[in-house]
Amino acid sequence: VLDYGGEDVATDVLVQPDGKVVVASVGGATRAWRITRLNSDGSPDAGFASGGTAVVPFGESVIFVPVAAALGASGEIVVVGTFDNGVEAGLDVAVLRLLANGQPDTSFGPNGVRAIDLGESELATGVSVDPPGDITVAAASNGRTALTRLTDTGTPDPEFNGGAPLVIDVPTLPRGGDLARLSGGRLLVVIEGSAAGDTSDIVLARVTPEGALDTSFSDDGIASHDLGGDERPGRAAIQTDGKIVVAALAGATELFSIVRFTAGGALDTD
C-alpha cells in the first residue's frame, strides 16, 4: 500500500525488465505527481529518487494527472499528464522525463518537464518512447486526437509530420485512449470517439514513423468498432503476433471488457 498522506490516485503502472515496478500517481497534501519505484518484493527502491519516490509539484491546479507512463531503452521513465499553466485559459500537456535513478532529466527540459500547448485545452491520453529516445504524446484537443513527437532533447521532431502535431480527424472524447508502439516504428492510437460522430466507439488508428495515417491499415488508417453501446477504451497492448488487445468499458451495460482485434484492425472473432 502506498500512502502519501492525502487522497492518492494511481493512474498507471510499469514493470521494468528487472522486475521492478513503477507506479505513477497524484496525491499527498500538495497534490503533486509522485512516481514510485518498488523492488520486485514490493519494498520501496531506495536507489530511486528520495526513498523510492520522485515528487514533482504542479500545485493545486493539477487535474486528472498524471495519465500515462512509458519506459525508455536506457531505463528513463516518461510520464505525461495535464496541468493548468496559470497563464492563460485552458489546460496544457506536461511531459516529465526522469533518469533511471529517479532524478529529473534536465537535458530534456527545466526540472525534466516540457509543456505541449496546441492552442486549445489539451488532455493527455497516452505516451510512447521509441528506442532512440524520441517521445510521442497523444492528447485530446479541440474535439480531436493529436499526436506530437518530441526529440530526445524535448523539442518537436521535424521528421514527424514536419514537426507539427498530427491531428486524427475523428470526433474524440477525452475520457480514455492509449498509444502503443508497433513493429517498424509504427504507432497504434486508441481513441474514444466515433467515425460517425454519434455514440462513442473504440477507434483504432495506425500511424507511420513519419507521422501520417497508415492507409494499409483498414484502408484509410482508421478502424471504428461499435460493440452495442457507448464504449470507453483504456489501455492497449500488442501481442507478439501483432494482434491488438484493448481494455474497455463496452456494450450496452458498459461492462469491463477485454477486446481483441487483428493486426489489420478487425474484431478478432477466432
Side-chain angles (χ1 to χ4, degrees):
V1 177
L2 299 176
D3 184 357
Y4 302 117
E7 185 175 339
D8 312 315
V9 179
T11 55
D12 206 358
V13 62
L14 303 169
V15 180
Q16 297 185 169
D18 61 2
K20 292 183 178 181
V21 178
V22 178
V23 180
S25 63
V26 60
T30 60
R31 300 292 293 166
W33 291 24
R34 297 175 189 269
I35 316 302
T36 297
R37 191 165 72 191
L38 305 174
N39 295 312
S40 57
D41 63 1
S43 61
D45 181 358
F48 183 81
S50 176
T53 298
V55 180
V56 184
F58 279 94
E60 296 293 334
S61 65
V62 175
I63 300 176
F64 302 133
V65 292
V67 172
L71 292 173
S74 300
E76 66 271 25
I77 298 167
V78 177
V79 186
V80 297
T82 304
F83 77 108
D84 182 350
N85 63 24
V87 177
E88 57 189 358
L91 303 171
D92 292 339
V93 171
V95 185
L96 165 68
R97 190 166 73 187
L98 301 176
L99 299 171
N101 63 4
Q103 299 302 316
D105 185 351
T106 55
S107 70
F108 180 72
N111 297 317
V113 176
R114 284 280 184 174
I116 297 175
D117 182 0
L118 303 179
E120 302 285 344
S121 278
E122 293 87 41
L123 292 171
T125 58
V127 63
S128 177
V129 183
D130 65 19
D134 295 336
I135 298 167
T136 306
V137 178
S141 175
N142 198 28
R144 297 294 187 270
T145 291
L147 300 187
T148 301
R149 191 163 77 188
L150 303 177
T151 67
D152 186 57
T153 58
T155 57
D157 186 350
E159 296 184 3
F160 185 85
N161 198 37
L166 170 66
V167 177
I168 299 174
D169 193 17
V170 173
T172 298
L173 294 172
R175 298 181 299 184
D178 201 5
L179 188 60
R181 185 157 295 279
L182 302 167
S183 62
R186 297 170 301 172
L187 293 165
L188 178 79
V189 191
V190 182
I191 301 168
E192 180 183 359
S194 175
D198 43 24
T199 60
S200 60
D201 298 334
I202 298 174
V203 179
L204 309 176
R206 196 164 74 187
V207 176
T208 68
E210 296 76 27
L213 283 173
D214 183 353
T215 55
S216 67
F217 179 80
S218 189
D219 294 329
D220 61 357
I222 298 172
S224 181
H225 295 277
D226 181 358
L227 303 181
D230 278 339
E231 284 74 52
R232 296 180 60 177
R235 293 288 173 253
I238 309 301
Q239 296 184 173
T240 55
D241 60 2
K243 290 185 177 181
I244 302 159
V245 179
V246 177
L249 297 177
T253 56
E254 292 193 6
L255 293 175
F256 177 75
S257 305
I258 303 296
V259 188
R260 191 167 71 180
F261 304 93
T262 67
L267 193 64
D268 186 3
T269 57
D270 293 339

